[in-house]
């Protein structure tokens, strides 16, 4: 049900059949945003720069995920009618004031690029260029603005297949000095036929991440991770299982004389191992939130593997994250309340509030800070008030009720904590331990192996989040995700055994 709802919410290729045109039909062209090329997460509205704007700039209605993605599409001043060539068409003649020249010069100095969408195909281009001519003093640089844009569009019968935008290197306007400049913006359009089918027009955008050399790196990452898994498996099988087997055999043979023998290692603290942890309400809430986030990740992978997140399906990932998180909040409520009841907790309402705020609380505070900064700089990352209201309503009308229903179901569940041995009344004192058995060193050790299994994929993920790359190889990412789970489970079993063998019975939080 969750997958079907999200599938409908993100609108997977639902409008593909509507992209048919006759000669002379108007094909939608929208200007999206501008920003420095070296910082793709910093973007602004297209007409924040003093471009020629059409008489009535119309905002395109966008889905929730597109707004969260920072897209702000508006009607562009170019007319790119289907199969209609144009040569040096004038958009407008404009006299740039000193202030507008300064704005354009600062944008060119920071390598600003623009992004547009033509029939849902992305287009990029640079605003201008800097002539340095071997000069070391930035005050001697020359700044030029491109004024002529060439559009090259490929079509197959009645459908748009591909579009490229390039600037004319000879059509330049000098904006080095703070003085008024007379400017004439131009554009040209050239149509050409292609045999590429409409269904494959998005392949070029995922091609860069699927090159053979990139695939070799990904498969090297998987082989490296598999070797780690095999080493850990051998480690657990040869050491832990042998030691545990010997312990069990020895323990069984000495049952008759157990009172006369002094217990050692993990058997010495068998009466303390299942003592409930400190701050059990927070512990149960953490378990509930973790279960929900794990479920969220699983659903996202399932959607990715069936092809929902194809390149430039704008905002699909954000929509899926928001909807799935809202619909799976009942899992967090049920898991937290059920486990809290097993730990003999009584204040289940406070536990439920803690579960609801443990992830959303820090997320909300971070959002408030980042959104305030984005509003101050007028960046497209700033969410409009209407979008914030929609998100709040989703949280209030979907997330919170499902959380409460899950919590009530968990509270009323008949599950009881089944400890295999009786817990003593007073906890034993933990002996002094060497520094490397402390919490922080153990955390570092436990995190190193899982990180080593995924660090290559993390590089590509960060390159897509904070760069211009597009991550498309979800099948490989899913394999690495499974390996990550296995490595994490194995290292957890090993370190927990070593902790108990050192007679440290406070293992829950670790």
């Amino acid at each position: 049900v969750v997958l079907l709802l999200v599938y409908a919410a993100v609108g997977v290729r639902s409008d593909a059949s509507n992209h048919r045109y006759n000669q002379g039909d108007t094909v939608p062209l929208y200007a999206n945003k501008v920003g420095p090329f070296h910082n793709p997460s910093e973007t602004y509205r297209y007409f924040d720069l003093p471009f020629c704007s059409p008489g009535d700039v119309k905002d395109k209605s966008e889905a929730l995920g597109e707004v969260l993605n920072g897209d702000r599409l508006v009607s562009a001043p170019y007319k790119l009618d289907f199969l209609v060539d144009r040569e040096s068409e004038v958009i407008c003649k404009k006299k740039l004031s000193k202030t507008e020249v300064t704005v354009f010069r600062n944008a060119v100095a920071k390598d600003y690029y623009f992004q547009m969408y033509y029939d849902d195909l992305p287009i990029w281009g640079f605003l201008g260029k800097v002539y340095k001519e071997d000069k070391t003093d930035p005050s001697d640089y020359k700044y030029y603005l491109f004024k002529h844009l060439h559009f090259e569009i490929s079509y197959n019968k009645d459908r748009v297949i591909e579009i490229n935008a390039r600037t004319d290197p000879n059509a330049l306007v000098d904006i080095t000095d703070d003085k008024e400049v007379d400017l004439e913006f131009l554009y040209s359009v050239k149509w050409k036929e292609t045999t590429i089918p409409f269904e494959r027009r998005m392949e070029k955008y995922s091609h860069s991440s699927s090159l053979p050399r990139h695939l070799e790196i990904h498969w090297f990452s998987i082989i490296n991770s598999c070797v780690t898994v095999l080493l850990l498996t051998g480690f657990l099988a040869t050491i832990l299982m042998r030691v545990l087997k010997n312990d069990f055999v020895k323990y069984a043979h000495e049952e008759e004389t157990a009172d006369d023998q002094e217990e050692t290692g993990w058997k010495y603290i068998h009466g303390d191992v299942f003592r409930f942890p400190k701050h059990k309400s927070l512990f149960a809430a953490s378990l509930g939130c973790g279960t929900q986030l794990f479920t969220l990740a699983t659903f996202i992978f399932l959607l990715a593997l069936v092809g929902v997140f194809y390149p430039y399906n704008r905002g699909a990932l954000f929509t899926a994250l928001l909807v799935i998180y809202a619909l799976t909040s009942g899992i967090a409520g049920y898991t937290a309340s059920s486990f809290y009841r097993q730990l003999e907790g009584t204040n289940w309402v406070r536990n439920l509030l803690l579960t609801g705020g443990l992830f959303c609380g820090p997320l909300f505070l971070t959002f408030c800070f980042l959104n305030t900064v984005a509003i101050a700089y007028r960046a497209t990352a700033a969410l409009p008030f209407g979008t914030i209201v929609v998100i709040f309503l989703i949280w209030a009308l979907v997330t919170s009720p499902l959380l409460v229903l899950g919590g009530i179901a968990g509270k009323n569940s008949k599950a009881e904590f089944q400890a295999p041995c009786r817990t003593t009344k007073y906890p034993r004192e933990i002996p002094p331990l060497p520094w490397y058995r402390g919490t922080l060193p153990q955390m570092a050790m436990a995190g190193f192996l899982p990180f080593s299994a995924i660090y290559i994929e993390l590089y590509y993920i960060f390159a897509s989040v904070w760069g211009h790359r597009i991550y498309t190889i979800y099948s490989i990412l899913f394999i690495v995700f499974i390996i990550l789970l296995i490595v994490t489970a194995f290292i957890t079993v090993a370190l927990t055994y070593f902790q108990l063998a050192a007679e440290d019975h406070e293992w829950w939080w670790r």
Side-chain angles (χ1 to χ4, degrees), residues 5 106 178 421:
L5 287 170
N106 290 337
D178 286 327
C421 57

Side-chain angles (χ1 to χ4, degrees), residues 201-451:
R201 70 176 190 161
M202 285 293 181
E203 285 185 3
K204 63 172 277 189
Y205 300 106
S206 59
H207 181 65
S208 60
S209 61
S210 303
L211 291 175
R213 61 188 179 89
H214 288 296
L215 285 175
E216 286 177 5
I217 294 172
H218 288 289
W219 283 113
F220 170 77
S221 169
I222 290 178
I223 292 171
N224 170 63
S225 303
C226 288
V227 169
T228 304
V229 170
L230 289 173
L231 289 174
L232 274 175
T233 308
F235 174 75
L236 285 176
T238 57
I239 298 180
L240 292 187
M241 299 311 295
R242 180 182 296 178
V243 171
L244 283 174
K245 184 179 179 182
N246 292 338
D247 283 340
F248 281 132
V249 170
K250 181 181 177 182
Y251 200 56
H253 288 170
E254 293 177 353
E255 274 186 351
E256 299 82 3
T257 57
D259 295 334
D260 304 326
Q261 297 287 336
E262 184 181 356
E263 294 176 330
T264 57
W266 60 271
K267 299 188 296 299
Y268 187 67
I269 56 168
H270 70 273
D272 297 287
V273 169
F274 297 103
R275 190 180 306 281
F276 295 152
K278 298 175 181 176
H279 314 295
K280 54 188 176 185
S281 181
L282 180 61
F283 188 85
S286 302
L287 188 67
C289 289
T291 307
Q292 182 187 6
L293 294 177
F294 175 74
T295 308
L296 171 66
T298 304
F299 277 129
I300 290 293
F301 271 117
L302 291 176
L303 288 171
L305 292 174
V306 298
V308 172
F309 307 129
Y310 59 91
Y312 295 102
N313 184 5
R314 297 190 307 276
L317 179 61
F318 287 103
T319 303
L321 285 169
L322 193 64
V323 174
I324 294 175
Y325 182 82
L327 294 176
T328 56
S329 59
I331 295 174
Y334 179 84
T335 307
S337 289
S338 174
F339 196 72
Y340 184 61
R341 187 178 182 278
Q342 291 184 47
L343 297 180
E344 299 177 3
T346 54
N347 196 342
W348 70 276
V349 175
R350 187 184 67 176
N351 175 250
L352 210 55
L353 292 173
L354 192 59
T355 305
L358 193 61
F359 179 75
C360 291
L363 185 69
F364 175 73
L365 294 175
T366 306
F367 162 75
C368 289
F369 172 74
L370 293 177
N371 207 56
T372 303
V373 173
I375 291 172
Y377 284 92
R378 299 180 63 192
T380 60
L383 294 187
F385 179 73
T387 304
I388 296 174
V389 171
V390 169
I391 294 174
F392 175 77
L393 289 176
I394 291 174
W395 178 81
L397 301 178
V398 180
T399 306
S400 297
L402 288 177
L403 179 73
V404 172
L405 289 174
I408 293 173
K411 177 183 76 75
N412 295 330
S413 66
K414 303 299 182 183
E416 293 184 0
F417 189 77
Q418 300 289 339
C421 57
R422 186 175 59 85
T423 302
T424 57
K425 188 174 183 179
Y426 301 104
R428 288 184 180 274
E429 184 179 353
I430 299 173
L433 299 173
W435 64 270
Y436 56 83
R437 288 194 181 275
T439 302
L440 291 177
Q442 293 284 296
M443 285 168 60
M445 291 170 59
F448 175 75
L449 277 174
F451 175 77

Side-chain angles (χ1 to χ4, degrees), residues 136-177:
T136 56
D137 188 358
S139 61
D140 295 332
Y141 294 167
K142 292 286 187 179
Y143 299 91
Y144 294 95
L145 183 68
F146 296 129
K147 66 174 185 177
H148 195 163
L149 196 59
H150 293 274
F151 294 98
E152 295 178 352
I153 312 173
S154 301
Y155 70 97
N156 187 346
K157 296 178 181 177
D158 56 356
R159 287 179 155 180
V160 178
I161 303 300
E162 185 179 349
I163 182 169
N164 293 298
R166 59 181 179 84
T167 48
D168 187 347
N170 299 316
L172 302 172
V173 177
D174 192 345
I175 54 172
T176 305
D177 301 321

